[in-house]
């Protein structure tokens, strides 16, 4: 077992570490220096608890007098106020005070909802992320975004709130369905086009190893993704400008997710297909050659991602993109690629957006 | 009409002004320099909207293209997730983006819930407080505390989130029921014992003028209260230490409020009676002479506040105080007075706490 890698993340108010490696749950030093409250609460779901709940409970037993587990229903459809309230009910019924540490054990849904619970419970308690999906390890580890969905929009209610630590145990990825590995690869691929042409080359050379869950390949991919995200977020915590490039593929992707109803497509699947559409739009605007669209599409296919969107109707796509919270005054701003490794954020004519979507719809 | 007074509040991340004076809603300079988003949302309630809604809509008409009003049901009983969601529903149905400014027009409930809505909507939009009760003007203007209640506890779910400005128009107090003026005086009185013996003397000399809504007396009382609170909060935004002294009377007061069911007693009424109990506890611990308890009780009576608590049963009082979020690991920490103008925070033996309550229960 090799030594874990650490990525340090600095925010205006705090700093914390992301630990990346195999066997981290069982290593005592993964937990050193975290707050030792009397009570701690593990928030997880019905899928992850049987797989990794005991390992985390064993790890926390020496740190806290009481370790409570709250098991949520699994899936994006449950990223709601009702589920959030389940956590609050448990915390209050068990008399948890404002020093109680929350541990998020699971994927992005568990991380987002637990983070928002931690941000809001008594106006803020400490929390630690233990992401068990590849997507959550690269996407939720950095940036402090927490949220729940509203019937009228994804991630509409939330907070910026930083974890005390993120523990990415690569062993937890062994139990991940192949479809979810692919969804995680979408967010990893994303960092190439927007920020690092060399990383895009590396992913193309290693996509098979990543799908086979090669430890060394995963460790590098997670680390490099977190590093790039930390660099971008560090310059722009509140998403006024630069941070928006992290949403490459997301505007189209969210429309697909929302249009089909949350949970039909995985978030990463929406992002994969959305990146192809956003690349197409970049090409239609003359920013990149058509060959770049083909290159990205080919990589997404090799990663096991869908590259053709559902036939929701073009008007419906546009409508869903306009209500997205990245829209301002009804104007949609797209993350476009100018060259491999360089992104730009700007509006685009509806006609070209429609064409970009049309070209990548399912038959 | 005299010039408004300004109290500047600095927080680690921001600074903002509290404007205090008569006729502020109608003065153009009250609104100068605030964000001019396309849409703005006034959140108010069924009582305040008919009294002051039109004045605020007139004031905002030159600043925003669309001004939407969301009218909530009135009362602490509605400081719930359901009411909060009403705001989110409106914001999303009207396509409000992350630049939309929220204006809280009303008392503490409207301010707390609107502040939390602003903190959480799309992870944070700007908001302006327009408090129309004396309590809200002195209590919610400073400190950035926003929250909703949970069935198991008051203010359990919330955020620290600062307004862009607070506009305390003293004219709005003319429509306030006398009972609510008294409730506001409780929080004003509080600042004397905990921080400023001279202010306590001043209140004793001016309590009749305050109840008669004398403009000059109100302006001074609101200003001095905000100044003291800003000074305390500036040193300790997250309530780790010093800020706790602002909760003088609140531990007992919250127990009364919760024990009777939110809405039976006004928050300020709970605080008034709670201060007398907390002063009694201070005397029982030998910190102040019994004469100080009598002095504070007499002042609360003159302010029109109840000074005898409901007979909930001592055990119920203690239980309610233990679940209060200021308790840590089940230990209740009380704000006690060492001398007029000086507070200390510490635990106390249950037997003395029980005695302090017993001595101030209704016949």
């Amino acid at each position: 077992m090799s030594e874990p890698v650490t990525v340090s993340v600095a925010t205006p108010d705090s700093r914390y570490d992301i630990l990346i490696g195999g066997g981290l749950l069982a290593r005592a030093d993964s937990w050193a220096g975290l707050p030792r409250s009397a009570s701690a609460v593990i928030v997880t779901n019905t899928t992850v608890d049987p797989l990794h709940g005991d390992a985390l409970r064993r790890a926390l037993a020496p740190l806290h007098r009481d370790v409570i587990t709250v098991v949520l229903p699994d899936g994006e459809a449950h990223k709601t106020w009702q589920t959030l309230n389940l956590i609050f009910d448990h915390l209050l019924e068990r008399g948890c005070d404002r020093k109680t540490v929350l541990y998020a054990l699971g994927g992005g849904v568990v991380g987002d909802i637990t983070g928002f619970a931690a941000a809001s419970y008594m106006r803020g308690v400490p929390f630690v992320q233990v992401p068990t999906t590849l997507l959550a390890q690269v996407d939720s580890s950095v940036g402090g975004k927490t949220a729940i969905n509203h019937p009228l929009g994804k991630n509409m209610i939330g907070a910026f709130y930083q974890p005390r630590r993120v523990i990415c145990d690569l062993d937890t990825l062994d139990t991940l369905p192949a479809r979810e590995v692919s969804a995680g690869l979408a967010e990893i691929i994303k960092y190439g086009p927007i920020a690092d042409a060399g990383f895009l080359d590396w992913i193309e050379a290693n996509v098979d190893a990543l799908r086979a869950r090669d430890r060394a390949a995963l460790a590098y991919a997670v680390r490099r993704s977190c590093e790039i995200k930390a660099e971008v977020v560090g310059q722009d915590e509140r998403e006024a400008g630069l941070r928006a490039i992290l949403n490459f593929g997301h505007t189209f992707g969210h429309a697909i997710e929302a249009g089909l109803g949350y949970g039909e497509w995985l978030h990463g699947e929406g992002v994969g297909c959305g990146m192809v559409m956003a690349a197409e739009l970049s090409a239609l605007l003359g920013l990149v050659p058509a060959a770049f669209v083909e290159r990205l599409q080919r990589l997404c296919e090799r990663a096991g991602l869908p590259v053709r969107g559902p036939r929701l109707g073009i008007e419906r796509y546009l409508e869903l993109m306009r209500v997205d919270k990245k829209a301002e005054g009804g104007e949609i701003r797209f993350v476009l690629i100018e060259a491999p490794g360089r992104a730009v954020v700007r509006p685009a004519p509806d006609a070209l957006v429609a064409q970009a979507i049309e070209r990548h719809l399912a038959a």
Side-chain angles (χ1 to χ4, degrees), chain A:
Chain A
M1 191 162 68
S2 57
E3 280 300 297
V5 172
T6 299
V7 177
S8 281
V9 182
T11 71
D13 306 316
S14 63
R15 64 163 293 294
Y16 64 91
D17 287 338
I18 304 169
L19 309 187
I20 303 159
L24 292 187
L25 285 183
R27 289 175 70 124
D29 54 358
S30 302
W31 313 96
L34 288 172
R36 295 186 163 230
S37 57
S39 56
V41 177
I42 298 171
V43 181
T44 185
N45 68 30
T46 48
T47 306
V48 177
D49 187 45
L51 298 171
H52 309 294
D54 283 343
L56 183 55
R57 280 182 284 272
R58 269 194 302 276
L60 300 184
L63 279 76
H64 306 280
R65 196 183 59 208
D66 295 316
V67 178
I68 302 156
T69 304
V70 180
V71 182
L72 308 178
D74 188 12
E76 179 85 26
H78 299 284
K79 194 169 148 181
T80 60
W81 169 257
Q82 285 76 13
T83 311
L84 180 67
N85 236 356
L86 254 181
I87 303 174
F88 293 141
D89 291 346
H90 274 85
L91 291 169
L92 284 163
E93 279 159 15
R94 299 293 290 256
C96 291
D97 64 26
R98 59 171 60 157
K99 293 195 169 169
T100 301
V101 183
L102 268 53
Y103 293 85
L105 176 71
V109 172
V110 166
D112 281 4
I113 203 167
T114 307
F116 188 42
S120 311
Y121 186 65
M122 296 189 175
R123 301 194 188 94
V125 296
F127 90 113
V128 174
Q129 295 265 27
V130 187
T132 61
T133 67
L134 185 56
L135 179 70
Q137 292 187 352
V138 298
D139 191 41
S140 323
S141 294
V142 185
K145 282 191 178 182
T146 71
I148 55 172
N149 297 330
H150 183 280
L152 294 177
K154 195 174 150 69
N155 292 328
M156 285 294 164
I157 316 299
F160 286 96
Y161 197 71
Q162 307 296 338
R164 296 302 177 94
R165 188 169 297 164
V166 181
I167 295 169
C168 299
D169 188 334
L170 300 174
D171 291 358
T172 62
L173 304 183
D174 286 340
T175 54
L176 200 63
R179 185 180 168 196
E180 296 211 33
V181 172
S182 294
L185 289 177
E187 293 280 356
I188 291 172
I189 291 170
K190 179 187 82 177
Y191 292 105
I194 63 166
D196 186 344
F199 188 44
L200 183 58
D201 296 338
W202 182 91
I203 300 167
E204 283 177 320
N206 289 276
V207 66
D208 299 331
L210 289 167
R211 290 189 76 179
R213 303 173 209 209
D214 176 89
R215 277 288 179 288
L218 283 173
Y220 181 75
V222 172
R223 170 191 163 182
R224 190 70 197 114
S225 298
C226 289
E227 282 172 350
I228 294 173
K229 186 164 183 184
E231 202 174 306
V232 170
V233 170
Q235 291 170 55
D236 176 28
E237 201 194 9
R238 294 270 164 165
E239 202 159 349
L242 180 61
R243 184 173 179 154
I245 68 169
L246 298 172
N247 292 319
F248 178 53
H250 283 59
T251 301
F252 293 98
H254 280 171
I256 294 173
E257 282 186 89
L260 293 175
Y262 296 124
E264 272 300 305
W265 278 35
L266 297 175
H267 173 69
E269 292 174 335
V271 171
C273 184
M275 286 193 292
V276 176
M277 290 175 175
E280 185 70 55
L281 182 57
S282 308
L284 287 169
L285 286 161
L287 301 172
V288 288
F292 179 77
V293 186
E294 285 158 35
R295 180 185 174 191
L296 194 62
Q297 177 172 332
R298 177 80 191 103
L299 179 56
C300 287
E301 281 168 347
R302 288 182 62 209
L305 291 163
V307 294
R308 303 221 144 258
R311 293 199 165 269
L312 304 171
I314 293 298
E315 271 315 309
R316 182 75 180 128
Y317 267 96
L318 292 171
E319 185 188 317
L320 286 162
M321 290 191 284
R322 269 188 216 104
V323 82
D324 191 273
K325 70 183 169 315
K326 288 177 287 297
E328 271 172 19
E331 185 185 67
I332 317 165
R333 296 174 63 77
F334 294 92
V335 183
L336 302 169
I337 304 302
E338 292 184 313
R342 207 169 73 230
V344 65
V345 182
R346 45 172 277 193
D350 278 1
L352 290 188
V353 176
Q355 213 178 324
I357 296 168
E358 288 278 14
R359 289 197 183 173
H360 298 275
L361 288 181

